Amino acid sequence: MTALFSNYKRADIEFVQAQGNNLIDSQGKRYLDFSTGIGVTNLGFHPQVQAALEKQVNAIWHTPNLYQNSLQEAVAQKLIGDYDYLAFFCNSGAEANEAAIKIARKASGKQEIIAFKNSFHGRTFGSMSATGQDKIKEGFGDAVPHFHYAEFNNLASVKKLVSDQTAAVMLELVQGESGVLPADEDFITDLAALCHKAGIFLIVDEVQTGMGRTGKLYAFEHYGIVPDIVTLAKGLANGLPAGAMLGKSALAPAFSYGSHGSTFGGNKLAMAASSAVLDMMTSSGFLDQAWENGNYLQDQLKKALADNPKVTQIRGLGYMIGIETTADLGQLVKAARDRGLIVLTAGTNVIRLLPPLTLSKAEIDQGVTILADIFTEQG
Ligand code: PLP
């Protein structure tokens, strides 16, 4: 008998220890982790993050947002770099998207938001309403009004929904949960131009694509655009709950004193982890290496699975990779786990890989060998 709601389907194993890019279960079995807890422990269980956490836990682990917080300032500066952004900290991706929706509505004085079919933005009312998938909303009554859904990678479908009441366009640059579907470059360039011309805020949800996942700190850097609003979570604190909304500094009046807040947002422990994460990610060559290794993994998979009749496409950006297949996803995930590799699924027909950015070439090869074996068995 469980004392928990059954809103998750849990495999019958528990991880009790981690070492670098490996997880160890309660039976002592070791697994190579190509899932990073769904895109969270992007640096694996790295000693540099652990040391930062240990140092902070020995000092102080929470203060309210009624006092100065130099860790938040430091993390914000590292996230912003040379961009003209200000930061708001929260605890999750859904909350970061709530903040984005709120600031866009308040700053524009308009309510309509164009989101996309098959998108995923979270489970709170606002972020769920932004999500373009009916199954996520079923049974919960009326969604937040004024969200409209365009076709991903289809500018004409966006144009049809634009009105003088449009506050923002909101999207993922690689739709993660629905199948690792990257946006086309032309679509994003044209969409950003359209938003700019019409005075519509462009909100990019980088909850999954951000924090080095695609080989850049932000996926928008691949597309040569600078969104008005960016949301982050997952890899931000490498496993501590943290989210952030970055918005252009011109939006500051919309988030003035008393307008929005969070008790735990920017918590000292989460910020200590985040600061260590950003120091590593922004160190010379780190992200270039992640980009190179992500491409190496994709290439090796393409070679190893080229002749497999049940693999229909391999796609992705950097270390965010989808293997589209006609084989049974549940069986593939289990077969990988039996051989000591943890992978994810996305949508109805994709094996999703979100490995640590710190994988060695040997670990990549080890993962590819296991994936080739399990697909051969299914093929
Ligand atoms: N946005 C995107 C793109 C996501 O992938 C997710 C989670 O998978 C979320 C938002 C929601 O994040 P959280 O579960 O931290 O609320």
Side-chain angles (χ1 to χ4, degrees):
M1 268 294 275
T2 174
L4 302 174
F5 282 111
S6 51
N7 57 317
Y8 302 111
K9 190 173 171 195
R10 297 175 192 269
D12 197 19
I13 57 171
E14 179 166 3
F15 302 116
V16 293
Q17 184 93 43
Q19 276 170 3
N21 300 325
N22 291 274
L23 304 170
I24 297 153
D25 75 12
S26 52
Q27 308 301 306
K29 182 171 169 180
R30 203 177 171 87
Y31 305 81
L32 181 59
D33 183 15
F34 271 25
S35 77
T36 52
I38 323 185
V40 170
T41 49
N42 285 1
L43 301 177
F45 291 82
H46 200 281
Q48 227 166 293
V49 180
Q50 187 178 341
L53 281 171
E54 282 171 2
K55 187 171 163 221
Q56 192 59 43
V57 91
N58 286 322
I60 182 168
W61 56 80
H62 175 77
T63 66
N65 282 312
L66 302 171
Y67 299 94
Q68 298 300 316
N69 190 329
S70 53
L71 277 168
Q72 280 186 27
E73 283 290 345
V75 173
Q77 296 287 355
K78 290 175 199 183
L79 285 172
I80 289 164
D82 293 331
Y83 295 110
D84 172 33
Y85 286 138
L86 294 170
F88 165 79
F89 288 109
C90 50
N91 313 284
S92 68
E95 274 180 274
N97 285 331
E98 293 293 331
I101 293 163
K102 284 179 77 174
I103 202 169
R105 278 183 165 205
K106 196 164 181 213
S108 65
K110 298 174 182 175
Q111 298 211 65
E112 293 194 357
I113 296 187
I114 300 172
F116 287 84
K117 291 180 186 163
N118 296 320
S119 59
F120 184 78
H121 297 293
R123 302 282 189 164
T124 56
F125 255 92
S127 63
M128 176 180 81
S129 303
T131 295
Q133 300 184 58
D134 289 344
K135 67 170 195 240
I136 303 286
K137 303 174 205 180
E138 262 162 32
F140 294 113
D142 291 344
V144 177
H146 307 299
F147 283 94
H148 305 283
Y149 310 94
E151 302 279 342
F152 196 56
N153 281 331
N154 180 337
L155 193 70
S157 76
V158 179
K159 283 183 179 161
K160 271 194 209 149
L161 296 174
V162 170
S163 81
D164 60 5
Q165 285 309 305
T166 308
V169 171
M170 176 170 183
L171 85 167
E172 300 153 87
L173 290 172
V174 183
Q175 288 191 331
E177 297 301 309
S178 63
V180 192
L181 297 152
D184 296 339
E185 256 179 71
D186 287 353
F187 170 65
I188 295 302
T189 313
D190 295 347
L191 181 67
L194 173 95
C195 288
H196 185 70
K197 195 165 162 220
I200 296 169
F201 294 129
L202 181 61
I203 304 173
V204 173
D205 177 342
E206 295 251 18
V207 168
Q208 194 163 148
T209 54
M211 301 310 294
R213 172 54 52 203
T214 69
K216 296 211 181 269
L217 191 57
Y218 306 109
F220 70 72
E221 293 169 325
H222 287 289
Y223 289 87
I225 59 158
V226 181
D228 299 292
I229 299 165
V230 180
T231 57
L232 297 167
K234 289 190 183 283
L236 178 57
N238 209 63
L240 273 287
M245 184 275 291
L246 308 180
K248 290 263 177 77
S249 63
L251 298 171
F255 261 24
S256 56
Y257 170 61
S259 57
H260 193 56
S262 162
T263 297
F264 292 120
N267 164 276
K268 292 254 183 191
L269 265 191
M271 291 295 102
S274 198
S275 188
V277 165
L278 283 156
D279 284 345
M280 272 186 74
M281 284 192 185
T282 56
S283 68
S284 173
F286 180 89
L287 288 172
D288 291 341
Q289 186 69 60
W291 171 244
E292 197 186 303
N293 286 1
N295 286 329
Y296 173 75
L297 171 56
Q298 264 199 65
D299 290 346
Q300 294 303 102
L301 285 170
K302 281 178 182 157
K303 275 186 212 154
L305 300 174
D307 297 328
N308 192 296
K310 291 208 166 160
V311 173
T312 44
Q313 197 185 32
I314 297 173
R315 57 176 179 252
L317 193 61
Y319 259 132
M320 187 167 178
I321 299 172
I323 307 170
E324 194 183 277
T325 178
T326 54
D328 183 276
L329 294 183
Q331 281 178 23
L332 286 167
V333 170
K334 184 168 181 314
R337 203 163 59 222
D338 289 347
R339 283 173 168 72
L341 181 73
I342 303 297
V343 299
L344 297 160
T345 65
T348 54
N349 61 352
V350 172
I351 289 291
R352 178 173 38 151
L353 309 177
L354 300 174
L357 313 180
T358 44
L359 284 183
S360 65
K361 282 260 166 70
E363 287 172 322
I364 296 176
D365 293 342
Q366 185 189 340
V368 171
T369 303
I370 295 172
L371 286 162
D373 283 353
I374 62 162
F375 272 100
T376 305
E377 266 173 23
Q378 302 279 321

